[in-house]
Each structure stands twice: as structure tokens, then as C-alpha cells.
Amino acid sequence: MAGNEAVEALQGAFPKAQVVLPSTDEFSTLNTSYLSRAQADLQPKAIFLPRDTEDVVKFIRIIRPYALQGGVKFAVRGAGQQPALGCNNIHDGITVDLRNLTGIQLKDDDATVSIGAGERWGDVYSKLQEKGLAVTGSRSSMGGIGGLGLSGGLSFFSTREGFITDNVTNFEVVLATGEVTNANIHENTDLFVSLRGGGNNFAIVTRYDMRTFKQGRFWGGTVFYFPNSFPSQVEAYVKELKDPEATDETHIMLGAGYSAAFAQVSDIMCMNQVYYTKEPQLDQMRSVRMLDLVDAAKEQTNHGSSTSRVSYINTTVKADVPTLMAAYETYVNALGPLKSVEGLTTSLTLQAYPKSLLDKTTSAGGNSLGIDPLDGPLMSILILSFWQNKEDDDKIHSTFKGVIEAVDQDATTRGTAVPYKYMNYAAPFQDPIGSYGEKSKTKLQATSNKYDPKGLFQKGVVGGWKLFD
């Protein structure tokens, strides 16, 4: 079989420790280290662990003929935090695990940080904090670089600094030919813009260069409250977003959900996560506390850590109170049949795309997300769920698929619908690439045809969301 031949070819080209086979302890450890335990249902023929960019080059050149002939497929994993099944692991193929592509290096008089594709944000923040610097990255210290750097992404600083992907100034990539090249505003600019939102469709990214900025300690924290206050919180949130004098130093998430841990207190609990990236002068902010970026990201990791099965599903609407409250009611009304699901914790989370964020894209060189800043402010609606047992997968997925579809239909009726679906929060059935609009998708397809004319990253990398489906 071609798949076995491909594995044997890798074994002949790399040390034994870099080609990890099933039925070994290391394979089990690696294959169960994803955010969602469901990814471990997929059993690759081998897990390949490159040590550096040259190993990725060698891998591509070995695997290319097998993949293009349909004999084997492969997946690329960064930190493994995206739960959509198959986007970072593959059954009966080869998973390329980039965890050993590390390195964090400041350059350009500390204006840029170069980050290996296998790094996690917590280590990046620790390195930068030593010099009073920060970067627009994940809110969780355990998050990986690629999932956000290639899809969009929100940060504690996004209201002020823009999408995470818009803060990547250069991608070092290995193309389908095995060539190593860079994509930035000066070279391979079409690839540069396409990588900002285009996911795994063009190359294996081995290094991300990102813009840094001065950042001290800031205020932030989490407040839990009962659902009777949720409507007023939504109203205040939308009012702030529409205030032309609103500060760009805030990052706010509103959530409502169900967990057995809170069931004896309240059937539904609500939560605000509020961050102000400078020390505030407002007395009402004193209910939260001073944080540095490392501490804030660790706190978010605690909120999101898991040994469970996990799903994300999302949509985007205009920042409109009736639309958001209708989404909340639709979500809450769907929870009843799910409360018997073992280990269920689920939340509906509202996260804004303020105009100040959307306005950053053009000056940063553009991206492929297809969002018109004139449509802002916008609101991301994310349903995040954790549960224990595989037999409950269909119930969870079908219920929240129905909720998101109902939210989209209601928003369409109200004139507040927005096509955009954020890739890193997308469910497998969703089409984030299509949601960028026909113009953006056509450009992405042209980039693929130019840099990968034989379609290695379409035919060989089948997980995630593809360009020609």
C-alpha cells in the first residue's frame, strides 16, 4: 500500500525518534494531547516530528509523489487546540506535528519577534515581558501560533491592534515543491494576504514574524452573575461598541451557559471577562485586578483546559441588541435535552469586532477575511461545549448546528446577518472560506493555483476548510 510505503520512506530518511508509529507509548501520548479528546479517535499511520525547517522540506519532497497520486494524506498540527475533527490530525495518514519547531527571537531593534511554528503563546509572552513588550496573540497561554496566525484571531489587544493575523509581518513557509520562501508585504504579497485567513491551504508555515509593542500591566478579570442581568449587560456592551468616543483599550467577552458545576446555584450562569489594557481611572473598574499578559493568558488557559470532547461553532452578526438577545433565547431554549449529557459544560459567548479593530486591516497590508469595516461594529457568537462521551457527539453537534442556523435565519430576517464565519471557531460543516465572499475566495484559489499548481495542499491535506469544495 502506498501509505505504508510513504511511512517506510520517512523511516529511511529520518531517525527513528522522528517517525512515531502506533502501538508505542509515545504515539499514545502524542495522539491524546489535543484540546479535544475526539481528535484521538483518529489514528494516523505515523506521527512525524520535524526538528527544523529543513526537515519539513525533506518531508514534503518525500511525501509529495505519494500524496499527489492519492496514496497517502497528511495533516499538519501546531498546538492541537482547534477541535474540528480532522483539521490537525488524520486517520490512516501521516500527522506532521510541529512541536519541535521552536525558537523566540527579537529582532529589528525589538520591533519584531520571530516565533517558531511549534511554540505556544505563553512562552512567547514570558520572553517579551522581560523587555516590557507584548504581541497580539492568543488569550490562552497554551494556544498555538498557527491556528490564530492563519485564521484571524482575537487578542486582549485586538480593539487597539487588530486581528492576530494582521499582526503577522512575515510568514516563512515550505511550499508544495519543498522550496522555502517568505511571504510579506514586500515579497510574495499575494501569498502573504492569502495566508492571513486562508488556513492550511498553501504551505506549511515554519516561522511567524510578528509586530511587537510596549505593554505594561493591565486590568482584567472575570465576573459571574445571574441571567436576569444578562440583557442589561448586552445593552451596555452594544452601546459601548457604537459610541464614537469609545476607548480602544478594552477587550470584553460576555457569556451565558450551563454546567453541572453551577446547576445547584442557577440553571444558567453568566460571565463577563473584561480587560482594560492600561491602568484605568474609572472607579467602577476597581472590581477587577491588575494583571500582566502572562497571568491573563494563564487564567484563560484555566477556563479552557480540557480532557473532554470539545466543539466550537460560530457565526457573526451586526452589534444589535434584539438580534443578540434572540440568539441567547434560542440557545437557552435548546439546552433542556442536553442537561443529562455527562460532563456537559456549554456556553454562548459574545465577542466584538469593534470598528477600531476592523479599520486596522488595510494599514496592516490586508487579509483574506472579506470583512467590510463599514459593516462594523460586529459581534461574534460562539457556542463552545465540553462533554465526556462519544455517544453524545451527534446530540451535541446537531443541537447547536440547529441553534446557529436559527440565529442566522433570525438575523437575516432582522437585516443584521453577516456572512463571516471565523475559521478557528468553525464547525466542520461550516464554510469559513465561502463566508469571506466570492471575491476573496477567487483570490485564494488563484494563490493556490500559483504556488501549488498540482494541489498538494488540496488533495494531500484534506482536513480543515478547503478552497475548491
Side-chain angles (χ1 to χ4, degrees):
M1 293 176 61
N4 293 332
E5 290 177 9
V7 173
E8 289 171 4
L10 292 173
Q11 289 177 300
F14 294 98
K16 181 179 179 180
Q18 288 184 253
V19 185
V20 183
L21 301 180
S23 303
T24 64
D25 290 343
E26 185 177 7
F27 181 94
S28 178
T29 298
L30 293 171
N31 207 47
T32 56
S33 61
Y34 291 85
L35 172 68
S36 175
R37 198 169 67 198
Q39 295 288 7
D41 294 345
L42 305 177
Q43 294 285 304
K45 285 182 177 293
I47 299 173
F48 173 60
L49 296 164
R51 300 163 301 182
D52 52 29
T53 298
E54 284 307 308
D55 279 354
V56 177
V57 170
K58 199 172 177 181
F59 169 83
I60 287 291
R61 289 176 174 165
I62 290 171
I63 212 71
R64 175 183 167 91
Y66 297 102
L68 290 178
Q69 293 168 15
V72 70
K73 302 185 188 306
F74 63 100
V76 182
R77 172 187 174 167
Q81 298 292 289
Q82 222 293 2
L85 196 63
C87 73
N88 47 25
N89 200 12
I90 190 164
H91 189 71
D92 210 29
I94 298 168
T95 295
V96 183
D97 189 325
L98 302 179
R99 67 180 61 217
N100 294 327
L101 270 61
T102 56
I104 305 164
Q105 182 179 0
L106 282 161
K107 59 184 186 180
D108 302 332
D109 294 327
D110 295 346
T112 301
V113 60
S114 289
I115 308 169
E119 289 287 357
R120 307 238 181 174
W121 289 106
D123 290 333
V124 176
Y125 297 155
S126 294
K127 175 85 171 181
L128 295 180
Q129 193 165 286
E130 295 171 2
K131 293 202 168 188
L133 298 172
V135 70
T136 303
S138 173
R139 293 164 298 194
S140 168
S141 62
M142 289 301 292
I145 313 304
L148 296 170
L150 296 172
S151 67
L154 292 177
S155 158
F156 295 121
F157 311 109
S158 281
T159 304
R160 186 182 75 207
E161 306 291 343
F163 285 112
I164 292 171
T165 197
D166 289 347
N167 282 263
V168 180
T169 57
N170 180 73
F171 299 89
E172 178 190 84
V173 303
V174 180
L175 298 173
T177 58
E179 176 189 357
V180 180
T181 193
N182 289 280
N184 53 59
I185 201 167
H186 302 295
E187 54 184 325
N188 302 311
T189 307
D190 49 356
L191 178 60
F192 176 59
V193 174
S194 293
L195 286 165
R196 289 173 153 192
N200 63 4
N201 282 295
F202 309 103
I204 296 179
V205 182
T206 52
R207 193 189 77 232
Y208 299 79
D209 295 347
M210 299 193 69
R211 183 179 62 83
T212 65
F213 47 84
K214 292 287 186 181
Q215 181 63 50
R217 287 165 63 82
F218 56 92
W219 285 79
T222 301
V223 177
F224 291 91
Y225 57 96
F226 294 110
N228 60 314
S229 296
F230 191 71
S232 64
Q233 296 297 298
V234 172
E235 290 174 5
Y237 195 7
V238 171
K239 182 179 179 181
E240 173 72 8
L241 289 171
K242 293 184 175 181
D243 182 353
E245 303 300 320
T247 176
D248 63 1
E249 299 288 349
T250 58
H251 179 67
I252 302 171
M253 295 172 278
L254 268 59
Y258 170 84
S259 175
F262 288 113
Q264 293 183 339
V265 178
S266 177
D267 195 41
I268 299 295
M269 283 295 291
C270 300
M271 177 176 73
N272 290 0
Q273 294 171 281
V274 182
Y275 299 90
Y276 184 86
T277 55
K278 290 184 177 179
E279 183 172 356
Q281 303 302 312
L282 302 174
D283 290 341
Q284 58 261 40
M285 295 295 291
R286 299 297 177 179
S287 61
V288 291
R289 67 195 190 283
M290 289 295 292
L291 295 164
D292 57 38
L293 180 54
V294 171
D295 290 338
K298 285 180 180 177
E299 183 175 276
Q300 286 291 317
T301 299
N302 292 334
H303 286 307
S305 59
S306 171
T307 56
S308 305
R309 306 177 79 81
V310 182
S311 77
Y312 295 164
I313 184 172
N314 82 110
T315 192
T316 307
V317 298
K318 294 185 177 182
D320 173 71
V321 173
T323 302
L324 298 173
M325 287 309 304
Y328 166 79
E329 295 293 344
T330 301
Y331 167 78
V332 169
N333 290 337
L335 292 177
L338 300 180
K339 292 178 182 178
S340 61
V341 170
E342 183 178 354
L344 178 67
T345 294
T346 175
S347 65
L348 178 139
T349 301
L350 307 180
Q351 303 173 82
Y353 301 131
K355 283 186 66 62
S356 59
L357 179 158
L358 301 176
D359 287 339
K360 295 289 184 182
T361 293
T362 300
S363 62
N367 61 40
S368 57
L369 303 180
I371 303 175
D372 186 344
L374 296 177
D375 287 339
L378 306 176
M379 191 73 76
S380 166
I381 300 176
L382 164 69
I383 299 176
L384 167 63
S385 302
F386 299 81
W387 68 100
Q388 288 298 314
N389 300 318
K390 183 176 182 177
E391 52 266 31
D392 292 317
D393 287 6
D394 288 345
K395 182 186 293 186
I396 297 289
H397 293 313
S398 62
T399 297
F400 292 132
K401 179 177 184 286
V403 170
I404 287 294
E405 288 174 345
V407 170
D408 282 339
Q409 182 57 54
D410 177 76
T412 298
T413 301
R414 296 176 188 272
T416 55
V418 176
Y420 177 65
K421 304 289 186 288
Y422 171 38
M423 182 181 286
N424 214 45
Y425 288 165
F429 77 89
Q430 294 188 293
D431 180 18
I433 297 289
S435 81
Y436 299 170
E438 191 60 35
K439 181 179 178 181
S440 182
K441 184 174 181 178
T442 298
K443 288 182 178 179
L444 292 171
Q445 291 172 336
T447 301
S448 174
N449 288 330
K450 177 179 176 180
Y451 292 92
D452 183 16
K454 293 186 182 296
L456 177 64
F457 289 97
Q458 303 304 306
K459 300 171 186 174
V461 181
V462 294
W465 295 271
K466 312 314 291 182
L467 301 177
F468 297 94
D469 292 345

